[in-house]
């Protein structure tokens, strides 16, 4: 409760300073998120494709997201945005198969962020391995709007890790990778490394992990929330 | 933008693999994809009960068990299959409860959206409302053992032992000009190596080429038994993205099927045949091509396509042959001296052909022909009609062909023909009308056909006496149901031949639709579309149209599966189906369909006061 209240206060304060309207609106509503049970909490599952791992040096080259409402993923909310960056995709092209020519057809990062934060209003964020993506988002927001917005986040990787620790299951290197975990939960195999498909894949994984924690899938999110 | 993913492209891609959604246009498919919601059900979880209507569920991954209220097993469904709709289990409509037998990822469509989908897409609706379809097509599939993977094997497999080096294996592959080898130990299959493996696991990794091939092979690859269906191979390849599958006789490798081999079997697609028809340069080449038709028809039926769609595709092929023959004839004879239209009648006009039938055609000339012009069209008609005959569309026994000078006349003379029949209706002229009112332009100036149709249909519309004659004639074809709902079989004196599904089932429905078209002045030959337009024009009520449609689909399905079975065994397709060949369920359904036709005929009898 206290945390929620403090977060609210911080969000409102930031909203005052924020230079971008869509982000300011996101911040005002962020204060009112009441993350309770999975089926009552609207989520946005997000994945970024990057041309490197260093948020100060590298760039976001595509953003994909989808909404989870009432414990279901609605495909109507699927979005995939290619970001038009000043940098070459470089060697990362081998991973995500996006070439410079594709990326050049994208939208400017500012436009991408605006659409993303519009779609994220009133929602808890969902990532697989949140810290990397969040650091890129924060870096980008500072350049765009002058602030790094607080994000309330679920991280499927952390949730799985927590569950394994509690059950005393050892974790080997690579066990927590998205594809590997999905196989474990009998989820379909997807062509990896497309931001939208990975965002959908993460959302499906969340539903599977929740069902493993409680067969009705109705889990309390509180213990799993991370505040960035 | 080759690499850019559309927002729901990966969803639509999976939907496309599901047969019922095949008929949807891309835009509709995407619209459907956007309505879906994904949900996950762990093993053992109850998903829902089929009552009240839960909408539709598509299994994206996992296995679902359907059980009845007493928890008795009804059916099991897996990836790419559907549930949630009303399901007939062994012919019986039952409520059911769906449970996750494995962890399942489902894509769900809510009840309202599912209803909408069915309203907007008649073909999808037909799939979900038909009680017969699934079982009928299943029955036809069992009858003609679908092509087996063993039929696709072209050569002995190239085998190497586990201990040969990577280089030796690669040399072997180059010598034999193959893109993959099977690796065996003591004659038993234990691995597979493809070009890609050599590239990725050996070259890219800098592996020494003297290392044993074992190091780069895929262990215990998925394989198929020789008698597995080609469709099974296709599904496996699509699902797992395999490009090569070993084919086994026990544990002995018989050969290898590639994705290319499998895809080629899919190539007997009517559109492909049509494309090929237009490439042929002589009647001889067309004849060679026509040998592909029986397998094409069989395949269409096996794929479980809808009757309406099959009719359209088969007719499409007939049209292509016709047009190509005309083009070749024009090339030989020089450009035509005036505008004309090559018209087709009967089943070709209605687009409900199911196999090669006799030809019904004619020529409408723009004006009266001078003697030399008449000579040109006589030669043209001879080339085309005799060509069709050689392609298996035999001469029409009633001589309704352009070959016959009577049906190769000017528009004005055609109008006089129709006027004559309408002014002086007698059994023969009424019979002519039932053929000539189903008319479509296959080649040439279609305004000539429109003009004639307009003339004939407005005359028929005005003339109730003529239509009454038509009605009386129609009522001479009655469904073969006697007292107490027993089937009445055709009897040629020596023995009973069976039920004539064409003359006593399909013809009456076609007749009823034609009558409605005449009443409403509809210029359309296809029975399904005629009924749809008649509903729109307000001369037919929607319920009656739906009943007629169901009856037509049902009777045609039974005829089609019967004919296709005959063709598979090399028999000539016939219109007679012996009742003993029908399952009790088919008999029940067939009787129901005949009852619908009898009802509609009674209504017609009342309307035109014919007794």
């Amino acid at each position: 409760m206290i945390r929620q209240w403090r977060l609210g206060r911080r969000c409102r304060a930031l909203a005052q300073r924020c230079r971008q309207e869509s982000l300011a609106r996101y911040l005002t509503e962020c204060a009112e998120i009441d993350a309770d049970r999975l089926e009552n909490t609207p989520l946005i599952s997000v994945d970024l494709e990057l041309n490197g791992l260093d948020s100060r040096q590298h760039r976001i080259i595509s953003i994909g997201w989808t909404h989870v409402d009432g414990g279901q993923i609605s495909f109507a909310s699927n979005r995939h945005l290619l970001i038009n960056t000043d940098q070459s995709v470089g060697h990362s092209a081998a991973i995500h198969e996006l070439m410079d020519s594709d990326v050049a057809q994208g939208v400017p990062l500012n436009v991408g962020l605006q659409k993303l934060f519009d779609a994220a209003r009133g929602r808890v964020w969902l990532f697989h391995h949140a810290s990397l993506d969040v650091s890129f988002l924060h870096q980008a927001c500072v350049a765009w709007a002058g602030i790094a917005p607080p994000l309330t986040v679920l991280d499927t990787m952390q949730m799985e890790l927590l569950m394994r620790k509690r059950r005393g299951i050892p974790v080997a290197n690579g066990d927590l990778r998205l594809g590997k975990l999905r196989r474990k939960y009998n989820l379909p195999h997807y062509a990896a490394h497309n931001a939208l498909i990975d965002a959908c894949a993460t959302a499906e994984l969340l539903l599977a992990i929740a069902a493993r924690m409680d067969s009705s899938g109705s889990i309390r999110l509180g213990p799993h929330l991370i505040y960035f | 933008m080759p690499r850019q993913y559309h927002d729901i492209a990966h969803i639509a891609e999976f939907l496309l693999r599901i047969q019922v959604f095949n008929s949807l246009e891309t835009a509709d498919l995407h619209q459907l994809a956007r309505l879906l919601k994904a949900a996950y059900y762990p093993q053992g979880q109850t998903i829902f009960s089929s009552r009240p209507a839960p909408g539709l569920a598509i299994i994206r991954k996992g296995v679902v068990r359907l059980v009845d209220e007493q928890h008795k097993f009804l059916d099991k469904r897996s990836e790419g299959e559907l549930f949630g709709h009303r399901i007939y289990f062994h012919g019986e409509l039952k409520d059911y409860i769906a449970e996750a037998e494995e962890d399942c990822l489902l894509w769900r469509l809510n009840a309202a959206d599912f209803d909408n989908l069915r309203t907007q897409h008649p073909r999808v609706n037909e799939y979900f409302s038909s009680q017969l379809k699934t079982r009928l097509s299943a029955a036809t599939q069992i009858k003609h053992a679908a092509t087996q993977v063993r039929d696709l094997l072209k050569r002995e497999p190239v085998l190497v032992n586990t201990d040969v080096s990577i280089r030796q294996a690669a040399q072997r592959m180059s010598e034999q000009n193959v893109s993959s080898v099977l690796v065996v130990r003591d004659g038993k299959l234990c691995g597979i190596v493809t070009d890609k493996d050599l590239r990725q696991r050996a070259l890219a990794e800098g592996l020494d080429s003297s290392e044993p091939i074992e190091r780069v092979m895929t262990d215990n690859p998925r394989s198929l038994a020789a008698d597995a269906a080609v469709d099974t191979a296709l599904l496996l390849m699509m699902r797992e993205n395999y490009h090569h599958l070993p084919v086994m006789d026990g544990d002995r490798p018989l050969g290898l099927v590639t994705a290319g081999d499998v895809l080629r079997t899919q190539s007997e697609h009517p559109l492909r045949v049509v494309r090929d028809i237009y490439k042929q340069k002589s009647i001889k080449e067309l004849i060679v091509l026509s040998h592909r038709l029986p397998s094409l028809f069989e395949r269409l039926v096996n794929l479980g396509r809808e009757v309406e769609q099959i009719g359209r595709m088969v007719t499409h092929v007939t049209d292509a042959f016709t047009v190509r023959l005309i083009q070749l004839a024009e090339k030989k004879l020089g450009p035509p001296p005036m505008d004309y239209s090559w018209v087709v009648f009967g089943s070709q006009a209605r687009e409900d052909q199911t196999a090669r039938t006799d030809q019904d055609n004619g020529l409408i000339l723009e004006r009266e022909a001078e003697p030399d012009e008449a000579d040109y069209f006589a030669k043209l008609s001879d080339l085309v009609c005799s060509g069709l005959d050689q392609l298996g569309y035999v001469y029409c026994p009633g001589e309704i062909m352009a070959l016959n000078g009577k049906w190769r006349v000017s528009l004005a003379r055609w109008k006089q023909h129709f006027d004559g029949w309408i002014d002086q209706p007698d059994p023969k002229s009424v019979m002519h009308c039932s053929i000539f009112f189903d008319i479509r332009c296959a080649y040439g100036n279609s305004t000539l056909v429109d003009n004639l149709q307009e003339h004939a249909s407005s005359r028929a519309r005005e003339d109730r006496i003529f239509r009454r004659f038509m009605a009386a004639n129609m009522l001479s074809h009655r469904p073969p149901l006697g007292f107490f709902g027993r089937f009445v079989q055709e009897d040629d004196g020596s023995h009973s031949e069976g039920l004539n599904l064409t003359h006593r089932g399909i013809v009456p429905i076609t007749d009823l639709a034609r009558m409605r078209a005449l009443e409403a002045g509809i210029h359309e030959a296809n029975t399904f579309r005629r009924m749809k337009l008649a509903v729109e024009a307000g001369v037919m009520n929607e319920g009656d149209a739906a009943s007629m449609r169901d009856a037509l689909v049902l009777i045609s399905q039974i005829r089609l599966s019967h004919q296709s079975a005959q063709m598979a065994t090399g028999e000539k397709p016939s219109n007679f189906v012996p009742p003993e060949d029908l399952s009790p369920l088919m008999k029940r359904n067939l009787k129901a369909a005949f009852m619908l036709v009898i009802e509609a005929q009674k209504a017609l009898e009342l309307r035109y006061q014919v007794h």
Side-chain angles (χ1 to χ4, degrees), chain A residues 141-169:
Chain A
C141 283
V142 169
W144 170 50
I147 56 158
L151 305 176
T152 306
V153 168
L154 281 174
D155 184 339
T156 37
M157 188 190 255
Q158 298 300 330
M159 288 172 81
E160 175 72 17
L161 189 65
L162 181 70
M163 188 164 63
R164 290 199 183 185
K165 272 188 190 153
R166 281 188 187 156
R167 298 185 181 181
I169 305 167

Side-chain angles (χ1 to χ4, degrees), chain B residues 117-136:
Chain B
L117 175 78
R118 294 175 57 162
T119 326
Q120 281 167 20
H121 301 285
R123 199 155 294 146
V124 172
N125 186 44
E126 194 177 299
Y127 180 92
F128 287 113
S129 47
S130 168
Q131 317 168 9
L132 256 186
K133 211 196 97 64
T134 41
R135 273 184 330 282
L136 259 187

Side-chain angles (χ1 to χ4, degrees), chain A residues 108-119:
Chain A
L109 181 57
N110 289 353
V111 176
L113 288 171
Q114 184 206 318
K115 287 180 194 278
L116 175 64
F117 278 91
D118 280 344

Side-chain angles (χ1 to χ4, degrees), chain A residues 73 97 185-186 194 196 215, chain B residues 3 5 7 37-38 40 45:
Chain A
I73 304 161
E97 295 195 347
Y185 285 100
N186 196 33
N194 162 281
L196 171 62
S215 68
Chain B
R3 285 184 181 78
Y5 286 83
D7 294 344
K37 300 208 153 108
Y40 184 88
Q45 171 111 337

Side-chain angles (χ1 to χ4, degrees), chain A residues 71-76 78-80 82 97-99 102 105 185-190 194 196-197 200 204 207-208 211-212 215-216, chain B residues 1-8 10-11 33-42 45 60-63 79 102-105 107-108:
Chain A
Q72 298 194 331
I73 304 161
S74 28
F75 296 149
N78 285 4
R79 287 294 175 276
H80 186 241
L82 292 177
E97 295 195 347
L98 289 175
M99 302 297 164
D102 298 322
Q105 287 158 345
Y185 285 100
N186 196 33
L187 289 166
H189 171 76
Y190 291 147
N194 162 281
L196 171 62
I197 293 181
C200 290
E204 290 170 6
L207 302 184
R212 189 60 50 95
S215 68
S216 72
Chain B
M1 289 182 278
R3 285 184 181 78
Q4 183 170 357
Y5 286 83
H6 194 276
D7 294 344
I8 35 87
H10 63 291
I11 314 290
R34 291 208 171 83
L35 294 172
L36 297 176
K37 300 208 153 108
Y40 184 88
Y41 298 84
Q45 171 111 337
R60 178 61 186 86
K61 190 81 201 285
V63 177
E79 189 168 321
E102 284 175 11
D103 295 342
C104 285
L105 183 68
W107 289 356
R108 297 189 53 175

